[in-house]
């Protein structure tokens, strides 16, 4: 059962319902709880016979907008569709929540309502990034849940990221790398040197291989499957990568418009280009996953179209059937147990 | 006069000399002081008639390798070609130094031998990055001189980056942005909020426009011409961008090999592809510039070929004839003078 926030995306609830239809068509086992203004949603769902008997609608009159401040939503957002969508996971009615809404508000609300897993200080947002690896994508986290991360947080990110790669990308023994400005052990900030040692120690019991420090060029590379970093650096990195890919797309179009011959070439190249576009299409890997909470939350792009929403639902479904939430909780708990021999850690917030 | 380190690049001194020939052919006004093992360099230069009478060779027997630690080079690198190349700038014989060698060693040696400009606490490395702006490139700094930067450093980067954009890209009134994880004023780390105010205050007297916070996607974008960030974030960002561009290149080739028709399309698309490649070819903008020192240093890629070396020389020449060094020194000094009304700043190293 997937709990789905119908509101808050740039394209409105009709696009979310269209994404549900695409998923429902491909997979007969997915059922939904859909949250938003009841009358409107009933009308949208009634038109789609693929959804008959598979959607329960929960009335929520308010919507979290992209401009709403997270603190405001946490205080007075009880009647929003986002709140309602998380509530279904909290109550155990659904395994995973999917929302296209405001990332900051969704993270704040998820943390408050679902609460952090025992042993996790800072939850993280993990994304899939096109790469040269056979599975086609690498996991990167954190990409913006928090702008800080100390060595213990980075260790948790390594454990959670490895668990996500096992369940989301089906890699038995993921290779984990820690993002730095060079691969030499003496380089980087203090917390990175400390995290380098902690992650190396945790690898044998964590069912992952630790490859040590990696660089920005390894994010789309084949040196590791999971890239661990703080949310500030991770956020800048993915946005730089997206911006660079967009720039190349624009320049490619310009290059093909340059001469009559190149226009002919463009027509012939169309299928090749589509093949490439499909390979790196961000809609196909649409969905940042919030890790470190009592419940899994998939954040879809605010601008996602039906294809994007459908791929976020697909990811949510895959994580639900793999029992990901229980596995990641067990993984973090066992790391905490192992660390009890080590000096205690301050767990206060900053 | 350009002071050129012949050694330390991955392809050896013959490639450096080939780059000199390409530059000398295009520009009859460039003269060189070339540093390295005298006998070998004399042999290489003697073969090239374009260089006759335009190259003075300075004997330096040792080479800084890519593996040498910066601290080691600073202590005992006096007989290296890198040291000798910087010495010519220090002595006022040349305006700009160009080297393909070890970045860390070059930065350390430049800082020790040329010394920091009065008012600059941390020098920075600035690079040009392909963008949607009319000039084709944006300036980004720091990309790795230091892994830290406080608000005063970020302010200096803004002043120096704007000066570089004026002299290196010929933009009269550059638009400067400060890299963050969102554009809202309340977001980001403490030092970013402080720098946001300092840079806004400095803009009217600094001959630049401040656009406020920008995101990773704006690095190749058109929202600003100069992107200011700390060396850790900047380094990760450029390497992520390079890695993404490389991945797209690989996938593009694969896409064109997929079917017989797409192979034909590839042949027809070749000139368009070359046009694109030229537009984003890193060799055309080869050269990180060290800013904030008493003298300008251009760091060429270690793997640069003759085209890459030639473009680094072109950049060095352009900065030399524009009087960039005096202008940036004046700019920083006037900012320091203006700040004397403000509370004093700790200038100690960390």
């Amino acid at each position: 059962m997937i709990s789905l926030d119908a509101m808050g995306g740039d394209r409105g609830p009709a696009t979310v319902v269209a994404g549900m239809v695409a998923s429902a068509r491909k997979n007969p086992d997915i059922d939904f709880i859909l949250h938003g203004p009841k009358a409107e949603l009933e009308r949208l769902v009634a038109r789609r016979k693929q959804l008959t008997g598979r959607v329960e609608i929960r009335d929520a009159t308010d919507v979290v907008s992209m401009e709403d401040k997270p603190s405001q939503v946490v205080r007075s957002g009880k009647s929003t569709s986002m709140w309602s969508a998380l509530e279904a996971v909290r109550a155990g009615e659904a395994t995973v929540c999917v929302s296209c809404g405001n990332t900051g508000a969704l993270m704040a609300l998820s943390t408050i309502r679902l609460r952090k897993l025992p042993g996790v200080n800072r939850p993280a947002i993990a994304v899939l990034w096109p790469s040269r690896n056979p599975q086609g994508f690498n996991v990167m986290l954190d990409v913006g849940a928090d702008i800080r991360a100390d060595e213990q947080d980075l260790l948790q990110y390594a454990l959670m990221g490895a668990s996500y790669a096992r369940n989301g990308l089906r890699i038995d023994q993921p290779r984990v790398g820690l993002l730095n400005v060079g691969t030499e052990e003496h380089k980087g900030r203090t917390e990175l040197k400390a995290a380098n040692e902690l992650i190396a120690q945790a690898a044998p019991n964590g069912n992952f291989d630790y490859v040590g420090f990696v660089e920005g060029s390894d994010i789309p590379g084949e040196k590791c499957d999971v890239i661990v970093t703080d949310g500030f650096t991770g956020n800048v990195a993915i946005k730089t990568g997206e911006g660079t890919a967009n720039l190349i797309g624009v320049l490619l179009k310009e290059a093909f418009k340059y001469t009559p011959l190149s226009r002919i070439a463009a027509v012939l190249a169309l299928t090749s280009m589509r093949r490439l576009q499909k390979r790196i299409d961000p809609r196909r890997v649409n969905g940042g996953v919030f890790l470190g909470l009592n419940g899994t939350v998939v954040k879809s792009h605010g601008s996602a179209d039906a294809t994007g929403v459908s791929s976020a639902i697909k990811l949510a479904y895959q994580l639900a059937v793999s029992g990901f939430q229980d596995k990641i909780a067990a993984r973090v708990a066992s790391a905490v147990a192992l660390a009890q021999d080590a000096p205690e850690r301050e767990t206060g917030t900053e």
Side-chain angles (χ1 to χ4, degrees), chain A residues 30 38 61 165 198 250 286 317 333 337:
Chain A
I30 305 184
K38 195 163 188 178
T61 47
L198 288 176
V250 169
N286 179 36
Y317 182 76

Side-chain angles (χ1 to χ4, degrees), chain A residues 99-135:
Chain A
S99 174
C100 306
N102 180 326
T103 307
L106 185 61
M107 190 77 220
L109 212 50
S110 301
T111 308
I112 296 283
R113 299 301 296 160
L114 303 180
R115 300 207 165 273
K116 293 183 266 187
L117 277 177
V120 171
N121 189 35
R122 294 184 208 272
I125 303 175
V127 292
L128 297 178
W129 189 257
S131 80
R132 295 192 193 189
N133 274 317
Q135 71 270 15

Side-chain angles (χ1 to χ4, degrees), chain A residues 10-26:
Chain A
D10 301 345
R11 297 173 190 233
T15 300
V16 173
V17 171
M20 291 168 72
V21 171
S23 296
R25 201 177 275 151
K26 279 184 219 147

Side-chain angles (χ1 to χ4, degrees), chain A residues 21 29 106 187 189 255 278 310:
Chain A
V21 171
D29 297 327
L106 185 61
K187 279 202 172 176
R189 297 171 171 154
K278 200 176 168 192
S310 170

Side-chain angles (χ1 to χ4, degrees), chain A residues 6 59 63 67 103 129 133 139 215 323:
Chain A
D59 190 36
V63 177
E67 289 71 38
T103 307
W129 189 257
N133 274 317
V139 172
E215 299 185 275

Side-chain angles (χ1 to χ4, degrees), chain A residues 12-296:
Chain A
T15 300
V16 173
V17 171
M20 291 168 72
V21 171
S23 296
R25 201 177 275 151
K26 279 184 219 147
N27 190 329
D29 297 327
I30 305 184
D31 292 320
F32 303 94
I33 307 178
L34 188 64
H35 307 261
K38 195 163 188 178
E40 186 176 1
L41 298 186
E42 278 181 342
R43 198 162 35 83
L44 288 168
V45 169
R47 281 190 208 148
R48 309 289 200 150
K49 60 173 182 284
Q50 296 91 344
L51 298 178
T52 310
R54 297 170 68 174
V55 185
E56 183 189 332
I57 294 168
R58 292 273 164 90
D59 190 36
T61 47
D62 285 353
V63 177
V64 175
S65 80
M66 290 296 174
E67 289 71 38
D68 285 340
K69 287 202 176 169
S71 54
Q72 181 72 21
V73 176
V74 166
R75 268 199 310 277
S76 55
K78 212 169 173 176
S79 56
T80 62
S81 57
M82 187 184 277
W83 187 296
S84 178
L86 288 167
E87 205 54 32
V89 171
R90 190 170 109 98
E93 299 171 282
T95 323
V96 184
C97 168
V98 177
S99 174
C100 306
N102 180 326
T103 307
L106 185 61
M107 190 77 220
L109 212 50
S110 301
T111 308
I112 296 283
R113 299 301 296 160
L114 303 180
R115 300 207 165 273
K116 293 183 266 187
L117 277 177
V120 171
N121 189 35
R122 294 184 208 272
I125 303 175
V127 292
L128 297 178
W129 189 257
S131 80
R132 295 192 193 189
N133 274 317
Q135 71 270 15
F137 299 95
N138 291 341
V139 172
M140 172 143 109
L141 75 167
D142 174 29
V143 300
D146 203 311
I147 53 171
R148 281 165 297 247
D150 66 17
E151 57 267 32
Q152 295 288 346
D153 298 322
L154 294 168
L155 169 61
Q156 296 295 350
Y157 295 174
L159 296 169
M160 299 194 297
S163 192
Y164 180 39
R166 270 192 299 271
N167 295 283
L169 293 177
R170 301 194 179 90
I171 303 168
D172 286 344
Q173 183 84 3
R175 296 161 301 156
V176 174
L178 182 60
L179 192 61
N180 199 349
V181 294
T183 53
E184 301 90 344
E185 297 223 335
H186 65 276
K187 279 202 172 176
R189 297 171 171 154
T190 321
E191 73 270 22
L192 287 178
K193 291 177 208 170
N196 186 43
E197 291 188 17
L198 288 176
I199 299 173
Q201 285 160 14
N205 288 307
N207 285 13
F208 66 87
D209 293 330
Y210 181 55
V211 305
F213 288 137
V214 296
E215 299 185 275
S217 49
D218 297 314
I219 296 172
E222 56 194 353
K223 199 170 164 189
C224 60
D225 310 296
V226 178
I227 294 97
V228 171
T229 188
D230 67 273
F232 186 91
T233 310
N235 185 277
V236 168
I238 60 159
K239 286 182 180 163
T240 305
E242 284 171 356
T244 304
N246 285 339
L247 174 69
I248 294 174
V250 169
L251 296 177
L252 202 54
K253 275 188 200 139
E254 280 175 16
F256 272 123
K257 279 186 190 155
Y258 206 70
T259 65
L261 182 65
S262 66
R263 280 165 202 261
I264 295 169
V267 174
L268 286 170
L270 209 61
T271 51
S272 298
M273 287 300 162
R274 290 219 177 110
R275 205 171 292 125
L276 168 67
Q277 202 167 27
K278 200 176 168 192
R279 174 79 168 72
I280 58 168
D281 187 351
R283 297 181 308 167
R284 281 185 60 233
V285 286
N286 179 36
V289 178
F290 294 180
L291 302 176
L293 303 167
N294 291 301
T296 304

